Amino acid sequence: MLRATLKSLLARKLRLILSGLAVVLGVMFVSGSFVVTDTLNRTFDSIFADAFGATDVSVSAKPKIEVSEMEGEEVATPLPASAVDKIKTISGVRAATGRIDVDGARVIGSDGKVLTSQGPPRLGENWTGTDSLMELRSGRGPSAAGEIAVNANTAELAGLKLGDTVSVLTLEPKKQFTLVGIWGYTGGRDSIGGVQEVAFTTPVAQQLMLGQADSFSSVTVEAPDGVTPAALRDRVAAALGADYEVKTGEQLAEESADSIQAGLAFFNQILLGFAGVALFVGIFLILNTFSIIVAQRTKELALLRAMGASRRQVIGSVLVEAVMIGLIAAVLGLAAGVGAGAGLAALFGSFADLTLASIGVPLSAVISAFVVGLVVTVVAAVLPALRASRIAPVAAMQEVSIPDRPLTKLSVFGGAVLSAGAAMLGTGLFADLSGNATLWLILGGVLVSFIGVALLTPLISKPVISLLGRLFSWSLPGRLGRLNSGRNPRRTAITAAALMVGIALVTGVTVVMDSAKSSLKAQVAETIKAQILISGDQTSSRPPTFDPAVIDKATALPGVRAAAGLWSDMVMIDGKTAYVTAAKDLSVLAEAYGTTAAPLTDNQIAVDQAKADEQHWTVGRTVTIQGARGDPHTYTVSQIFAENALPGSVVLPNAAIKDFGVTQPSFGFVRLDDGVAVSSVLPQVKQLVADSPEVTATDSATFANDQAAQFDQVITMIQILLGLAILIAVLGVVNTLALSVLERTRELGLLRAVGLGRAQTMRMITVEAVVISVFGALLGVVVGAGIGTAVTRALKNDGITELILPWGRMGTYLALAALVGVVAAVVPAIRAARLNVLGAIAHD
């Protein structure tokens, strides 16, 4: 039986290729995800090992606020210069050097634009000379207040050379310096991990990067010969006490790498999620392929049964074939995954300016490739295998194929599954659950709903396909194609369901994103009465800022009713992290924003109603707030305002700004007098921010459009990632048609014999493909719109108040589906047209 199975498998090589291609693509996505994250993990391990390789022990003050990687950059608490002197006196310390390494030094390039960063920090440092890792390429280190040195990476990105006047943004507005030195690192490297670095003299670095004199962000401690870094760490920690963090260079490298790996793990989960969608679609393809194969092998399997093969042996025969296909697909998919992972890693490396580690194949990639390849293929082959085992030896030998079974049981079961999926989805969207239960219920509900719709698809395929097919029934090939597409509802439904999944997910995301865009625009128009806004795009952990003097100058412009700046930061409120805003004068901010509020004293805060309800705060309640700098301060809740009436849910007074990590405003609002045209004031405000290149001034409509455009980027990214699932669905159409042509060889020969031309044959196959593709896309659009609508309604309390159905995009999806059908039909149509008429008629 095994030999017969293997011979049957090798005798149909085209079937083998078409069956395994979907699994290859799915395995490629899964294994590629592990390859890219493994490569990036080892890359960052190497980067941090280099960065801290020359550090024996580092001392820093405990941060006043601990934030996660997702919340932003942790603000360093300055160490007093006296701490350096104290460390030098500790037994076993050879040397102690006060260092300043703080993110937030933004160099303005020769083109007048700020150098952006898509990950690596932009460090402002104090010049302490070269070491075993760092080498001066040209010039010298800064020795005067108006001088700086930069690393070679920054010099190249900014187009700088020695002697240039360079503008730099820090905690203070733009300042100019003379470039006197450019350095690099051993091994010919221009940077470590793409970091941009600017070195000032120590007093200037203290002022611009820490905001206070005689202080450092850390102290590097050198151990003498014979003393290990761990032993020195323990001595220093014991001498300094609990207010300091004392770590070895190895510890710092490990902790930094771990924090990056947490983010990469999240990235890997996203990739694996999309890989799961691709594999889910692949199951439909494999299921359909094996169903057609079983139908084509009816006589062969019946003959085996007649010769004594048991039902178990027939099931085993089909599953062995599935295992062979799964193993081959796993090997090919793993190889393709290594290539895809290497490509993604290279793309990431060029995007973030990283020197990548060598591409490796982690054990997780190998195991996942074979597990996924085998499991997906075998699971998809189970039902066809069971169906094959039910073939009656004598009766089946008299039939060309297995007659299609009634759809009643399948439809009832599909309705029950769809109801269960809808119940899960509804519970996840509308019930108030804790932990990750909501997310898992929503994901599970979507998956189960897709399965339910797929099970119900055969029931609706005949009437819908008949209706769609009428569009092409104006000719004989069109009528034949229409009849062929509806002759086997199960096969057509499975093929269409594969395309439905990808289209439904894209449509659902588009509905949610377009609704969010429309809601955002409406909210901006309704709540922000300022006609001119000052803002910038945040490309790093630190927000874009501008000179506070801009607000004072804007207030003095003719026609300006009110102008206000907005500061923001993460703080600790009664021991919990929270995002807050601050204003110099709350009454002016309210006037510029479009409402009214009383000024705040130095010890008062204002909160919105939602925050007050959540924390059970009332007017007169006192709270303790710890900023990124300074000491804890007690504030009294003096005002509770309506939700969205002011920017932010907790607004602090002007006195709190000095304790923020970023002490410049990141937002500005300019409200004009009634009747004053925006066009008459906007150019003047733009001129005011000319020296703040991170931000720009725009009218409120442009601002809303710019903010909403970010949702389009999300849609594009999801379309790209789901493109693989849609590609697999297209392969499913090709596969179904190709196998169908083989199955209908004699029928096609007879049609050719009675006068159907080659071109007509090709049109018939093309119509069949287009009808199936459009049916799948139509189903996907309807299901996706339904899921998107449900999610949008569930997010009503989170700000998505409008429901927008993207009719234009949905129409585009249907048009593309028709094009997909035409492309998918090319190879099967050519094969059908080239059949030898006499040979096809004699085919059995």
Side-chain angles (χ1 to χ4, degrees):
M1 194 69 185
L2 178 61
R3 287 196 298 272
T5 300
L6 295 177
K7 287 183 177 180
S8 173
L9 184 64
L10 295 175
R12 298 173 173 86
K13 296 182 178 62
L14 176 62
R15 182 180 74 194
L16 174 66
I17 295 172
L18 293 175
S19 302
L21 196 53
V23 183
V24 169
L25 292 174
V27 170
M28 178 189 73
F29 212 142
V30 173
S31 58
S33 301
F34 286 108
V35 169
V36 68
T37 50
D38 173 75
T39 302
L40 294 177
N41 278 334
R42 288 186 291 106
T43 296
F44 284 109
D45 287 345
S46 176
I47 288 172
F48 293 122
D50 278 348
F52 298 106
T55 302
D56 288 335
V57 172
S58 178
V59 179
S60 59
K62 288 187 176 179
K64 296 183 180 295
I65 301 176
E66 295 184 0
V67 298
S68 66
E69 288 291 323
M70 302 300 291
E71 291 175 327
E73 188 75 16
E74 212 166 59
V75 177
T77 301
L79 281 166
S82 58
V84 181
D85 298 329
K86 182 177 181 179
I87 293 172
K88 289 180 179 178
T89 64
I90 298 174
S91 175
V93 172
R94 171 183 287 177
T97 305
R99 299 192 61 88
I100 299 168
D101 296 281
V102 179
D103 191 9
R106 292 94 73 202
V107 173
I108 300 174
S110 57
D111 58 359
K113 297 181 179 179
V114 174
L115 296 188
T116 59
S117 174
Q118 303 297 332
R122 294 172 288 184
L123 296 179
E125 308 169 354
N126 65 321
W127 179 263
T128 57
T130 58
D131 54 29
S132 60
L133 184 65
M134 181 179 172
E135 54 189 21
L136 201 59
R137 297 273 178 87
S138 58
R140 57 178 176 80
S143 59
E147 296 177 344
I148 61 169
V150 300
N151 68 358
N153 177 52
T154 306
E156 181 181 354
L157 293 174
L160 302 177
K161 60 183 183 301
L162 291 182
D164 283 351
T165 298
V166 184
S167 297
V168 184
L169 302 173
T170 57
L171 288 178
E172 298 186 7
K174 182 175 73 174
K175 293 187 179 299
Q176 293 185 328
F177 302 88
T178 300
L179 180 63
V180 298
I182 297 175
W183 81 86
Y185 293 91
T186 55
R189 293 171 295 175
D190 292 342
S191 70
I192 295 181
V195 175
Q196 299 173 27
E197 295 175 274
V198 183
F200 310 91
T201 62
T202 296
V204 173
Q206 290 169 338
Q207 174 191 348
L208 298 183
M209 302 310 302
L210 295 176
Q212 63 186 64
D214 297 325
S215 58
F216 298 95
S217 59
S218 64
V219 180
T220 299
V221 185
E222 184 180 346
D225 296 337
V227 178
T228 64
L232 180 59
R233 175 201 60 197
D234 296 341
R235 292 182 190 176
V236 174
L240 294 179
D243 292 335
Y244 294 87
E245 292 183 341
V246 185
K247 299 175 182 177
T248 64
E250 185 178 348
Q251 279 181 294
L252 290 173
E254 290 178 357
E255 290 178 2
S256 299
D258 289 344
S259 66
I260 291 293
Q261 287 173 7
L264 290 176
F266 179 72
F267 173 67
N268 189 43
Q269 289 170 2
I270 293 176
L271 291 180
L272 289 176
F274 284 101
V277 174
L279 289 167
F280 181 60
V281 172
I283 288 177
F284 288 101
L285 193 159
I286 300 297
L287 175 62
N288 216 19
T289 299
F290 274 93
S291 296
I292 297 173
I293 289 171
V294 168
Q296 291 176 349
R297 295 175 60 197
T298 298
K299 287 188 176 182
E300 175 188 329
L301 295 172
L303 181 60
L304 291 173
R305 289 294 311 280
M307 293 173 63
S310 65
R311 291 183 62 181
R312 179 177 296 179
Q313 286 178 310
V314 172
I315 293 175
S317 172
V318 176
L319 292 183
V320 165
E321 187 169 341
V323 168
M324 294 298 297
I325 292 174
L327 285 173
I328 295 172
V331 173
L332 297 177
L334 176 61
V338 173
L344 281 174
L347 181 64
F348 188 94
S350 63
F351 188 65
D353 194 23
L354 295 175
T355 300
L356 294 175
S358 59
I359 301 298
V361 183
L363 183 62
S364 56
V366 178
I367 294 175
S368 64
F370 284 94
V371 170
V372 167
L374 285 173
V375 169
V376 168
T377 312
V378 171
V379 167
V382 168
L383 288 178
L386 292 174
R387 191 176 184 187
S389 70
R390 297 191 184 105
I391 298 174
V394 176
M397 290 174 66
Q398 299 172 347
E399 298 291 337
V400 175
S401 60
I402 304 173
D404 213 20
R405 292 172 295 164
L407 300 174
T408 306
K409 292 182 179 179
L410 182 66
S411 300
V412 171
F413 181 62
V417 173
L418 180 60
S419 300
M424 292 173 64
L425 190 59
T427 304
L429 291 173
F430 298 101
D432 186 14
L433 303 174
S434 59
N436 294 323
T438 297
L439 176 61
W440 286 112
L441 271 175
I442 292 175
L443 293 177
V446 170
L447 176 62
V448 174
S449 297
F450 278 145
I451 295 174
V453 171
L455 292 172
L456 288 174
T457 303
L459 181 66
I460 62 176
S461 64
K462 265 197 172 181
V464 176
I465 283 179
S466 178
L467 183 62
L468 290 174
R470 292 185 183 278
L471 299 174
F472 307 96
S473 296
W474 46 270
S475 65
L476 177 62
R479 289 195 294 274
L480 290 173
R482 170 196 169 200
L483 293 173
N484 286 335
S485 59
R487 68 197 294 180
N488 193 323
R490 294 174 186 269
R491 182 181 304 174
T492 300
I494 294 173
T495 306
L499 188 59
M500 176 267 293
V501 173
I503 298 293
L505 289 173
V506 171
T507 302
V509 170
T510 304
V511 170
V512 175
M513 292 295 105
D514 281 0
S515 299
K517 284 170 56 179
S518 180
S519 300
L520 175 62
K521 291 180 181 179
Q523 184 178 356
V524 169
E526 181 181 350
T527 60
I528 304 178
K529 302 306 179 185
Q531 293 89 346
I532 299 174
L533 294 101
I534 302 171
S535 65
D537 295 328
Q538 186 165 345
T539 58
S540 67
S541 59
R542 301 179 71 86
T545 59
F546 58 94
D547 189 345
V550 168
I551 297 299
D552 298 330
K553 295 175 182 178
T555 303
L557 292 176
V560 172
R561 178 175 175 177
L566 187 72
W567 285 254
S568 59
D569 204 3
M570 293 293 298
V571 301
M572 298 285 288
I573 302 180
D574 289 339
K576 298 180 180 178
T577 57
Y579 178 82
V580 299
T581 57
K584 282 192 172 183
D585 188 327
L586 182 59
S587 62
V588 176
L589 173 64
E591 176 74 8
Y593 201 72
T595 185
T596 58
L600 295 173
T601 67
D602 290 351
N603 299 316
Q604 293 179 333
I605 62 171
V607 301
D608 73 354
Q609 189 64 57
K611 186 71 174 181
D613 292 342
E614 176 189 341
Q615 299 295 327
H616 306 291
W617 290 347
T618 57
V619 172
R621 169 69 182 270
T622 59
V623 296
T624 300
I625 298 180
Q626 170 66 68
R629 308 175 193 275
D631 298 320
H633 193 85
T634 300
Y635 295 92
T636 301
V637 177
S638 65
Q639 302 174 54
I640 297 178
F641 54 89
E643 192 173 358
N644 297 323
L646 288 170
S649 58
V650 179
V651 185
L652 274 58
N654 179 48
I657 295 174
K658 69 180 187 303
D659 292 335
F660 279 16
V662 178
T663 55
Q664 296 181 71
S666 55
F667 243 101
F669 304 95
V670 180
R671 188 177 180 187
L672 306 181
D673 291 326
D674 295 338
V676 175
V678 174
S679 58
S680 65
V681 181
L682 181 57
Q684 300 177 70
V685 180
K686 286 185 175 181
Q687 187 61 37
L688 293 178
V689 298
D691 284 339
S692 300
E694 283 190 304
V695 299
T696 185
T698 59
D699 60 82
S700 57
T702 302
F703 170 78
N705 289 332
D706 290 344
Q707 297 300 306
Q710 298 176 18
F711 294 106
D712 290 328
Q713 298 175 5
V714 175
I715 294 174
T716 301
M717 181 188 70
I718 290 176
Q719 287 175 333
I720 292 172
L721 291 173
L722 287 176
L724 180 62
I726 296 175
L727 174 61
I728 292 176
V730 173
L731 291 175
V733 178
V734 176
N735 197 11
T736 300
L737 289 175
L739 293 175
S740 182
V741 167
L742 291 175
E743 184 182 49
R744 289 152 42 194
T745 298
R746 188 166 184 271
E747 175 187 320
L748 290 170
L750 290 172
L751 288 173
R752 291 292 310 283
V754 298
L756 192 69
R758 286 189 173 184
Q760 290 178 310
T761 302
M762 293 179 69
R763 288 204 301 272
M764 177 184 71
I765 300 296
T766 302
V767 167
E768 186 175 348
V770 169
V771 169
I772 292 174
S773 297
V774 173
F775 172 55
L778 182 63
L779 198 61
V781 165
V782 172
V783 173
I787 292 176
T789 299
V791 172
T792 299
R793 291 305 187 196
L795 296 175
K796 186 175 183 180
N797 293 331
D798 295 317
I800 303 182
T801 56
E802 299 190 14
L803 173 64
I804 301 296
L805 295 177
W807 298 108
R809 278 198 173 107
M810 291 192 291
T812 301
Y813 297 152
L814 293 176
L816 288 175
L819 179 61
V820 161
V822 173
V823 173
V826 170
V827 174
I830 292 175
R831 185 180 180 90
R834 288 180 176 176
L835 285 175
N836 181 282
V837 176
L838 294 178
I841 293 175
H843 180 79
D844 188 7

